[in-house]
């Protein structure tokens, strides 16, 4: 079984290119069906977050180049461009990478916990889509177990600065008193909930939630004592807010340059703080050039979250030791299932052969019983027939071959049939 992976992340690809390959959770199932059809049905899983999109596959034949071509086509770019901004992995390195991602070692924020939940969601969707087999299921279940051990055994997550906390820190640098700031959150997902939690701790003047569906927005607004508004009302009310944090699953920007220009005019050019946590972008990139707007993307926040990471490098070393052990365990599991040299296929063949012998002897015994033969005699014949079949190979080997071959056979027979302990 071959295992391979293809990915782009915050270290290899710019934000706009990552946006071309971002898949919302509800898109992953249909996308997996298309991927597997194009690659002739391997096991497959897709992990897509604001920082990465990764495809993991397992199959009888490795199809890494076809995977690159498929992903490039889905994002509307050339395979050459994708290769220049992506990474490809095979076999052991795939496991190491998955374990590091799950443990937060490959994240923009070292040790951040959100990625583990995002991976679990993605694997659940892949399982529901029928795209997982035993190999990828083992890979990811082991990655979750390794991540749990890393988090409980090391200080990898201590003092980490999340994207949401970084946004509050930057807002605090722009506004003297966050208690006088009106904050608008666009979206109602996990990242917005996290950002709202951090901002609410600073007691801003007001909080509003703009969301496509009011029900989800109302739930979040109630939690933080804010108001809810329709996404359609956003352009006409944008000028009311000093800070805007957006993270939706929209495939196109929902806050355009014109809307922000009109908002600034209505605000008499009082500054606006804007954070775009979405991939693809929620806010048109041209907004960043406006004089009175301070716009930050997920990549901009990376520089903020890097601070304070030096004191966690010792924890990283500890985590890598745990990951090494996990990789070796997974590779051992893979080796056991190798169709040529693996133990598991041999065990399966041995069980199948034993079942065949048992079936033959049972069928013969039933025929004799149906004829009225004595039960004790039939049972005796059944046991002798099974014994002869099981010992036939060993007896034949003892009678054949040269002295050295016989000596190896003798040792094997002692180990297999004549061991005193059971």
């Amino acid at each position: 079984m071959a295992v391979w992976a293809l990915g782009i992340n915050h270290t290899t690809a710019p934000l706009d290119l990552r946006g071309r390959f971002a898949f919302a959770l509800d898109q992953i199932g249909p996308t997996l069906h298309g991927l597997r059809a194009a690659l002739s049905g391997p096991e497959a899983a897709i992990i897509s977050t604001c920082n990465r999109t990764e495809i993991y596959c397992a199959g009888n034949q490795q199809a890494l180049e076809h995977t690159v071509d498929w992903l490039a086509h889905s994002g509307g770019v050339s395979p050459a461009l994708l290769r220049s901004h992506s990474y490809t992995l095979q076999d052991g390195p795939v496991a190491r990478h998955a374990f590091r991602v799950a443990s937060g070692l490959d994240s923009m924020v070292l040790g951040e916990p959100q990625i583990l939940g995002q991976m679990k969601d993605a694997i659940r969707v892949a399982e529901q889509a029928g795209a997982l087999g035993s190999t990828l299921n083992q890979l990811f279940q082991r990655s979750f177990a390794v991540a749990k051990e890393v988090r409980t055994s090391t200080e990898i997550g201590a003092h980490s600065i999340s994207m949401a906390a970084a946004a509050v820190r930057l807002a605090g640098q722009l506004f003297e008193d966050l208690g006088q700031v009106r904050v608008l959150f666009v979206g109602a997902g996990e990242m917005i909930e996290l950002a709202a939690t951090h901002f609410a701790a600073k007691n801003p003047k007001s909080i509003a939630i703009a969301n496509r569906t009011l029900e989800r927005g109302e739930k979040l607004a109630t939690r933080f004592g804010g108001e809810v508004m329709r996404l359609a009302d956003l352009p006409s009310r944008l000028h009311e807010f000093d800070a805007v944090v957006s993270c939706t699953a929209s495939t196109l920007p929902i806050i355009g340059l014109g809307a922000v220009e009109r908002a600034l005019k209505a605000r008499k050019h009082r500054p606006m703080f804007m954070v775009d946590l979405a991939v693809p972008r929620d806010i048109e990139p041209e907004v960043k050039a406006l004089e009175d707007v301070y716009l930050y993307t997920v990549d901009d926040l990376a520089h903020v979250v890097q601070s304070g990471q030096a004191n966690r490098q010792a924890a990283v070393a500890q985590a890598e030791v745990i990951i090494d052990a996990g990789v070796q365990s997974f590779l051992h599991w893979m080796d056991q299932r190798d169709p040529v040299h693996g133990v598991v296929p041999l065990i399966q063949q041995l069980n199948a052969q034993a079942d065949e012998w048992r079936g033959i002897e049972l069928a013969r015994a039933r025929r004799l019983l149906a004829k009225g033969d004595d039960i004790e005699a039939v049972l005796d014949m059944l046991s002798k027939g099974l014994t002869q079949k099981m010992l036939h190979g060993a007896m034949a080997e003892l009678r054949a071959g040269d002295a050295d071959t016989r000596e190896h056979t003798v040792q094997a027979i002692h180990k297999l049939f004549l061991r005193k302990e059971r």
Side-chain angles (χ1 to χ4, degrees):
M1 180 68 70
V3 182
W4 66 96
L6 163 68
I8 58 172
N9 65 17
H10 57 283
T11 64
T12 67
L15 175 61
D16 289 327
L17 184 60
R18 298 203 306 274
R20 286 180 170 269
F21 302 102
F23 300 100
L25 200 60
D26 59 0
Q27 296 176 314
I28 289 180
T31 303
L32 283 171
H33 286 301
L35 169 63
R36 298 182 72 216
L39 301 185
S40 301
E43 298 178 34
I46 296 174
I47 296 169
S48 185
T49 73
C50 60
N51 291 332
R52 72 182 66 247
T53 292
E54 295 180 339
I55 296 173
Y56 293 82
C57 294
N60 293 328
Q61 297 292 328
Q62 188 253 81
L64 189 51
E65 288 305 310
H66 292 307
T67 310
V68 173
D69 292 342
W70 177 88
L71 185 60
H73 178 74
S74 73
V77 303
S78 69
L81 177 63
L82 178 58
R83 286 188 189 94
S84 68
H85 288 285
S86 63
Y87 43 91
T88 56
L89 304 162
Q90 300 177 53
D91 301 322
V94 174
R96 182 177 303 281
H97 181 75
F99 295 172
R100 295 186 86 254
V101 171
S103 301
L105 268 66
D106 195 64
S107 297
M108 190 178 287
V109 182
L110 182 63
E112 58 92 4
Q114 283 83 18
I115 184 62
L116 183 58
Q118 292 166 329
M119 286 181 73
K120 288 181 177 180
D121 288 342
I123 298 313
R124 186 187 69 252
V125 171
E127 188 171 25
Q128 291 170 349
L132 285 191
S134 60
T135 301
L136 286 191
N137 186 59
Q138 277 286 325
L139 173 68
F140 286 108
Q141 293 307 319
R142 288 168 182 265
S143 73
F144 302 152
V146 165
K148 181 179 180 181
E149 185 176 356
V150 166
R151 294 186 187 284
T152 56
S153 304
T154 75
E155 294 294 319
I156 194 67
H159 315 298
S160 64
I161 304 172
S162 70
M163 290 290 180
V168 173
R169 177 184 290 188
L170 288 170
Q173 293 173 2
L174 178 62
F175 302 109
E176 291 184 6
D177 182 7
L178 289 180
Q180 298 301 313
V181 172
R182 293 179 173 85
V183 188
L184 170 66
F185 296 99
V186 184
E190 181 183 355
M191 186 59 75
I192 287 295
E193 184 176 355
L194 188 62
T197 301
H198 280 270
F199 270 95
K202 299 297 182 180
N203 298 311
K205 189 170 184 177
S206 68
I207 286 178
I209 308 291
N211 197 47
R212 199 174 303 278
T213 57
L214 283 182
E215 183 181 356
R216 182 111 184 242
E218 283 173 351
K219 185 178 179 181
L220 204 56
T222 301
R223 176 179 168 187
F224 297 109
E227 66 164 315
V228 64
M229 56 186 279
R230 295 183 184 277
L231 211 54
D233 297 331
L234 187 58
S236 62
R237 294 194 57 188
L238 191 59
H239 66 279
E240 300 174 21
F241 303 99
D242 308 298
V244 179
V245 181
S246 187
C247 187
T248 75
S250 174
T251 56
L252 296 172
I254 57 177
I255 301 177
L257 176 63
V260 179
E261 287 176 329
R262 290 190 295 274
L264 287 174
K265 186 176 181 180
R267 290 172 59 82
K268 302 187 186 304
H269 292 276
R270 284 182 291 118
M272 289 183 73
F273 173 77
M274 306 185 81
V275 178
D276 188 351
L277 296 173
V279 180
R281 296 176 191 256
D282 277 346
I283 303 173
E284 287 187 341
E286 291 81 7
V287 169
K288 197 178 185 84
L290 296 176
E291 187 173 344
D292 299 302
V293 172
Y294 298 82
L295 172 61
Y296 298 90
T297 66
V298 286
D299 287 0
D300 296 324
L301 293 180
H303 301 294
V304 179
V305 301
Q306 295 305 318
S307 61
Q309 299 212 74
N311 60 350
R312 293 198 300 282
Q313 291 309 309
V316 171
Q318 291 177 295
E320 294 287 9
V321 171
I322 296 171
I323 289 169
D324 283 342
V327 171
Q328 293 307 313
S329 176
F330 177 71
L331 292 179
H332 177 67
W333 180 86
M334 289 281 288
D335 286 342
Q336 286 185 315
R337 281 148 183 80
D338 184 280
V340 178
H341 306 292
V343 173
V344 171
L346 184 60
I347 291 173
Q348 292 170 340
Q349 292 174 32
L350 190 59
N351 282 329
Q353 180 65 81
D355 283 341
E356 181 183 341
W357 288 336
R358 186 171 64 90
I360 291 170
E361 294 303 321
L362 277 173
R364 187 164 67 154
R366 289 190 179 105
R367 287 195 302 270
L368 293 174
L369 289 172
K371 288 167 57 179
D373 285 16
D374 179 67
I375 292 178
E376 290 297 326
V378 171
L379 288 175
D380 184 60
M381 184 209 65
L382 172 66
S383 64
K384 285 181 179 178
L386 278 174
T387 302
Q388 289 171 355
K389 282 180 170 59
M390 290 179 180
L391 295 180
H392 174 74
M395 296 297 190
E397 287 298 315
L398 280 174
R399 298 189 187 100
D402 55 26
D404 289 340
T405 301
R406 281 196 300 275
E407 179 59 30
H408 286 301
T409 302
V410 167
Q411 293 176 12
I413 288 173
H414 275 283
K415 288 180 180 178
L416 295 174
F417 299 107
L418 303 177
R419 294 170 61 178
K420 292 182 180 179
E421 67 275 11
R422 288 288 183 265

